[in-house]
Amino acid sequence: MNIERVELQRLIMPFKASFEASIGRMDKRDLVLVTVYDTDGTAGYGESTSFPFPMYNEETTDTVWYMLERFLIPKLLSAEITSPEEVNDLFAPIRRNNMAKAALEGAVWDLYCKQKGISLAVGLGGKKTTIDVGVSIGIEPTIDLLLAKVEGFINEGYKKIKVKIKPGFDIEPMRAIRKQFGPDVPLMADANSAYTMDQLDILKELDQFNLIMIEQPLSHDDIIDHAKLQKELQTPICLDESIHSVEDARKAIELGSCRIINIKVGRVGGLTESKKIHDLCQAHDIPVWCGGMFETGVGRAHNIAITSLTNFTIPGDTSASNRYWVEDIVEPEVLLFAPGVLAVPTGAGIGYEIKPESVKKFLVRQESYNRQIAGVRE
């Protein structure tokens, strides 16, 4: 692939409005934009999905930068690779740090597809030309505010409404949504590991609301208690934080820990591993969907591409750019093709162009690394 140089840019981008989940409240995204260049100057783009604090998983923006600079970029620039799948194997000896791996591997995938003159979706084996998308709503200060947001997103045509829950903000919000909007609104709850088996009675109460799923109700690293819980619930459990690899997915499926899996590209270490998990789940009739991590247009493009695979049968969280950003860093902006629907780009690579002036506006740090002195700053 003739990879010659890698550039890291740290961006801090304010949200249009703050967002709260059980793990905390956020009002900005702190991310690493990764650009990989070949000898002809063609650029491939990826981005990190970590947060500034280790609350979703063990990674942070600082650790992602460190791992990229100290270990992953030197490995990439010292190797001769012919396809992005080889990056997954190249990084395998390094334990976890999946978001750092995914950011760099994603850039390599984009570059590879641009070199081949194909879209990222085609490169991954995707078949869809459009994807249905949902929206994620945080924990609101009042139920009235929550209902107003749900109404707005239903009117915009989103195909799934995901509501963050935590103890004390769970049964009543679901009851209010069902009472106001009826039984047919596609609704799910995301607990972000906020419950324990001691709260089984509360979780069983959620069965009455005909939810698509309850996402990750128990501990972030658990698949044993989730298997026990799934036997007690009519509602499908979806695993998110517990699944970091195709091996984790295999074990969860064999144990009966879930009936649905959320595939987040950053959480599992990249597009190659995401595709492996997709294929495994398809073979076991486990539907999957693509979760969101407040990505810019770069990460959204990667999510759209992976969601074009056939077993992504549940609408994901890849909403339009204007859901979170006053200004995105790509053009054209990621916009709905139709209510609740995004078009899968057909242009080479991710199908979007970077806006340098927007990147510069949010830039707080930048470093570049070349092949001649692998891993050393220019």
Side-chain angles (χ1 to χ4, degrees):
M1 290 183 62
N2 298 318
I3 296 173
E4 181 67 19
R5 184 167 66 91
V6 179
E7 183 176 69
L8 302 183
Q9 294 170 299
R10 186 168 184 169
L11 312 180
I12 296 180
M13 298 175 59
F15 290 143
K16 291 173 73 172
S18 60
F19 187 97
E20 183 176 347
S22 63
I23 59 175
R25 177 174 288 271
M26 295 167 285
D27 57 12
K28 61 190 174 187
R29 268 282 277 133
D30 180 4
L31 66 109
V32 181
L33 178 66
V34 181
T35 309
V36 174
Y37 296 91
D38 67 12
T39 51
D40 295 327
T42 304
Y45 301 102
E47 75 171 83
S48 68
T49 56
S50 57
F51 298 134
F53 43 82
M55 300 299 288
Y56 175 79
N57 68 359
E58 70 278 8
E59 292 181 85
T60 69
T61 316
D62 287 325
T63 66
V64 164
W65 188 288
Y66 175 79
M67 290 302 299
L68 286 165
E69 181 176 70
R70 179 68 178 84
F71 297 104
L72 300 176
I73 292 173
K75 264 189 171 293
L76 180 67
L77 292 179
S78 299
E80 296 292 341
I81 63 170
T82 59
S83 72
E85 288 93 346
E86 296 171 24
V87 177
N88 196 45
D89 296 332
L90 183 68
F91 292 164
I94 296 175
R95 300 296 182 231
R96 295 290 278 268
N97 293 281
N98 284 347
M99 290 179 172
K101 292 177 180 178
L104 185 52
E105 191 225 36
V108 174
W109 265 105
D110 183 30
L111 175 62
Y112 174 82
C113 291
K114 287 173 178 173
Q115 290 175 339
K116 297 293 184 183
I118 59 175
S119 70
L120 180 56
V122 169
L124 290 167
K127 303 297 184 184
K128 302 177 194 174
T129 58
T130 62
I131 62 168
D132 290 342
V133 294
V135 68
S136 179
I137 304 175
I139 295 170
E140 297 297 326
T142 69
I143 289 179
D144 285 344
L145 286 172
L146 172 65
L147 293 175
K149 286 201 169 184
V150 171
E151 183 175 22
F153 291 128
I154 290 173
N155 291 339
E156 290 180 43
Y158 281 103
K159 306 294 187 183
K160 182 190 74 181
I161 303 294
K162 179 169 89 170
V163 177
K164 298 286 186 176
I165 63 170
K166 64 179 180 180
F169 191 87
D170 39 39
I171 305 302
E172 292 311 313
M174 295 298 111
R175 180 177 286 118
I177 292 170
R178 282 294 183 227
K179 181 179 179 181
Q180 181 155 332
F181 302 106
D184 297 328
V185 169
L187 180 65
M188 63 167 286
D190 182 6
N192 288 119
S193 309
Y195 297 81
T196 70
M197 287 295 285
D198 292 337
Q199 294 156 309
L200 174 61
D201 289 347
I202 295 174
L203 295 170
K204 289 179 75 170
E205 277 194 71
L206 292 170
D207 275 341
Q208 66 185 292
F209 302 118
N210 190 32
L211 303 178
I212 303 170
M213 70 189 87
I214 303 171
E215 186 178 2
Q216 197 73 34
L218 305 179
S219 177
H220 70 96
D221 57 356
D222 171 75
I223 57 175
I224 302 297
D225 283 347
H226 277 104
K228 297 175 184 176
L229 178 62
Q230 183 64 91
K231 292 176 182 177
E232 298 284 340
L233 299 181
Q234 299 171 28
T235 307
I237 289 174
C238 170
L239 288 183
D240 175 359
E241 290 96 326
S242 294
I243 307 299
H244 302 95
S245 66
V246 68
E247 272 298 291
D248 286 346
R250 179 187 65 79
K251 292 169 185 174
I253 292 169
E254 289 185 11
L255 287 170
S257 306
C258 61
R259 297 178 193 161
I260 299 170
I261 287 180
N262 172 356
I263 297 178
K264 289 179 178 171
V265 176
R267 191 192 71 235
V268 305
L271 291 165
T272 301
E273 195 72 11
S274 296
K275 190 175 186 305
K276 289 179 181 180
I277 295 171
H278 165 276
D279 294 348
L280 174 77
C281 288
Q282 189 167 42
H284 288 84
D285 296 319
I286 300 289
V288 300
W289 58 284
C290 183
M293 294 290 284
F294 309 102
E295 291 91 345
T296 73
V298 172
R300 285 173 195 278
H302 286 85
N303 289 348
I304 293 168
I306 195 69
T307 304
S308 70
L309 274 64
T310 55
N311 195 42
F312 281 88
T313 56
I314 298 172
D317 288 344
T318 309
S319 50
S321 291
N322 58 14
R323 165 75 174 93
Y324 296 109
W325 312 117
V326 174
E327 180 180 352
D328 204 344
I329 60 171
V330 300
E331 54 185 1
E333 189 177 349
V334 181
L335 296 173
L336 294 179
F337 171 74
V341 178
L342 287 170
V344 178
T346 57
I350 61 173
Y352 296 88
E353 298 295 329
I354 292 290
K355 296 193 295 185
E357 67 280 4
S358 297
V359 171
K360 185 176 180 180
K361 184 180 297 185
F362 303 120
L363 184 66
V364 295
R365 183 184 178 188
Q366 179 170 319
E367 301 287 351
S368 188
Y369 313 85
N370 63 28
R371 175 175 287 276
Q372 283 71 35
I373 310 176
V376 177
R377 299 171 188 159
E378 288 184 331

